[in-house]
Amino acid sequence: MGGVIRTPLTRWFDLAAPVVGAPMAGVAGGALARAVSLGGGLGMIGVGNATTPEFVAEQAAIPAADDLPFGIGLMAWVLETRPELLEATIATRPALVSVSFGDPAPSVRPLHDAGIAVATQVNTVDDVARAAEAGVDVLVAQGTEAGGHTGHRATLPLLQEVLALTDRPVLAAGGIATGAGVAAALAAGAAGVWIGTPLLACPEALNSPAARARVTAARGEDTVLTRAFDVAQGLAWPQRWPGRALVNDFSRTWHGREAELPGHPDAARVVEARRTGDLDAAPLYAGESVGLVTAERPAADVVRELAGDAERRLRAVAGLLD
């Protein structure tokens, strides 16, 4: 690959590819982070609301053992009641920590004092102003096309607006699963991309073989942006961030009827499905680019191919000016 694409992101973290693996809780553990970093990107470890400090330390040790750069993703609304997760994260000495889905400000000073760069995902213009005031280093413009919890604005218009509002490095997230998509984001001015869905079918992920098979069989039209899964599980996710997941039996029945879910037997079914891996009721978060993920592939190969194809696309676009 040769590391020919140079951006503020690749220079800051000494990367060969302008690619960051999204910190998907329950999917992005240490093995996936290691594989993304081996591919030249920056692998991230996802920390969920039920994650233990011990899990953070164990997973971070996997990429650290090979002296690879890695990052950790935290959720601001979880840190409000579980500050020990921030402490555990700092102790692992990651290169980057993202604090998203809430106010990142309380976490920025401790992370900066430890010499750790801070990122946050933004879904609105107000989020950009809040990130700037907090002193965040890297902004992730996350469009509604993204899998998992996200906002309601499309990636491209949001990205352009964020770029106009900040001089900090901005990454594009949502709907990017090919080298062409990476090239488009870079051409628009992004310093890199933040990808999750293209990594859902990687064997290094923490998800199950059945989940990876369902991802590779899905079409781009097979997702829904819904709060039904969060309401069923009684999770304290702020309402402004619903989750984009593959459509299943549960979401077909309950999307749009969330107010009826508390106390209903079907709500308990989702909790049990998460435990047993029943994908007809449990959420399988994936973005609108899922139709482009057609086979199980090592994460390092995914990252290298994205970067290599993006380089070729950018060279071809430059030829349009001749």
Side-chain angles (χ1 to χ4, degrees):
M1 186 169 56
V4 298
I5 298 177
R6 296 296 183 192
T7 75
L9 174 76
T10 63
R11 288 190 289 270
W12 191 335
F13 298 103
D14 193 23
L15 307 177
V19 176
V20 177
M24 302 172 286
V27 176
L32 185 61
R34 174 182 179 273
V36 170
S37 294
L38 282 173
L42 181 65
M44 298 278 284
I45 295 166
V47 175
N49 62 296
T51 302
T52 65
E54 291 76 19
F55 177 89
V56 175
E58 291 167 1
Q59 297 302 309
I62 297 173
D66 290 325
D67 199 27
L68 291 167
F70 69 93
I72 294 177
L74 304 170
M75 298 183 291
W77 66 269
V78 172
L79 294 179
E80 292 174 3
T81 57
R82 300 199 59 203
E84 71 274 14
L85 292 176
L86 179 62
E87 298 169 5
T89 294
I90 291 173
T92 69
R93 311 299 299 177
L96 177 71
V97 169
S98 67
V99 182
S100 302
F101 308 114
D103 186 5
S107 302
V108 172
R109 176 60 67 84
L111 289 165
H112 280 173
D113 286 348
I116 299 169
V118 184
T120 193
Q121 294 180 87
V122 297
N123 309 99
T124 67
V125 168
D126 288 343
D127 290 342
V128 179
R130 181 169 59 182
E133 185 176 352
V136 168
D137 303 299
V138 178
L139 278 67
V140 182
Q142 185 204 36
T144 192
E145 300 95 323
H149 291 83
T150 186
H152 299 272
R153 294 198 56 190
T155 301
L156 185 56
L158 177 65
L159 173 63
Q160 293 171 86
E161 203 159 355
V162 175
L163 287 166
L165 291 171
T166 183
D167 59 357
R168 293 168 172 80
V170 177
L171 309 183
I176 299 168
T178 65
V182 176
L186 296 176
V193 298
W194 177 280
I195 62 166
T197 300
L199 303 175
L200 288 175
C202 296
E204 300 91 349
L206 294 173
N207 56 3
S208 67
R212 296 197 289 274
R214 187 162 290 203
V215 165
T216 59
R219 303 170 304 166
E221 295 84 1
D222 293 340
T223 73
V224 60
L225 188 65
T226 184
R227 294 191 62 247
F229 295 110
D230 291 336
V231 173
Q233 296 173 87
L235 298 179
W237 266 100
Q239 291 191 20
R240 61 168 289 202
W241 289 292
R244 184 172 297 284
L246 293 185
V247 174
N248 63 9
D249 291 346
F250 178 83
S251 65
R252 288 188 189 95
T253 301
W254 288 103
H255 174 55
R257 298 174 54 202
E258 289 85 354
E260 305 171 40
L261 263 172
H264 193 282
D266 276 7
R269 182 188 171 200
V270 175
V271 175
E272 177 66 9
R274 290 292 300 266
R275 187 184 68 82
T276 63
D278 175 9
L279 297 176
D280 290 330
L284 201 174
Y285 292 113
E288 291 186 346
S289 66
V290 69
L292 295 163
V293 183
T294 58
E296 187 168 322
R297 301 175 56 216
D301 291 349
V302 172
V303 173
R304 291 187 187 108
E305 183 174 303
L306 286 174
D309 286 352
E311 177 199 340
R312 288 187 285 274
R313 294 278 183 169
L314 290 169
R315 291 188 186 280
V317 169
L320 295 176
L321 301 176
D322 293 341

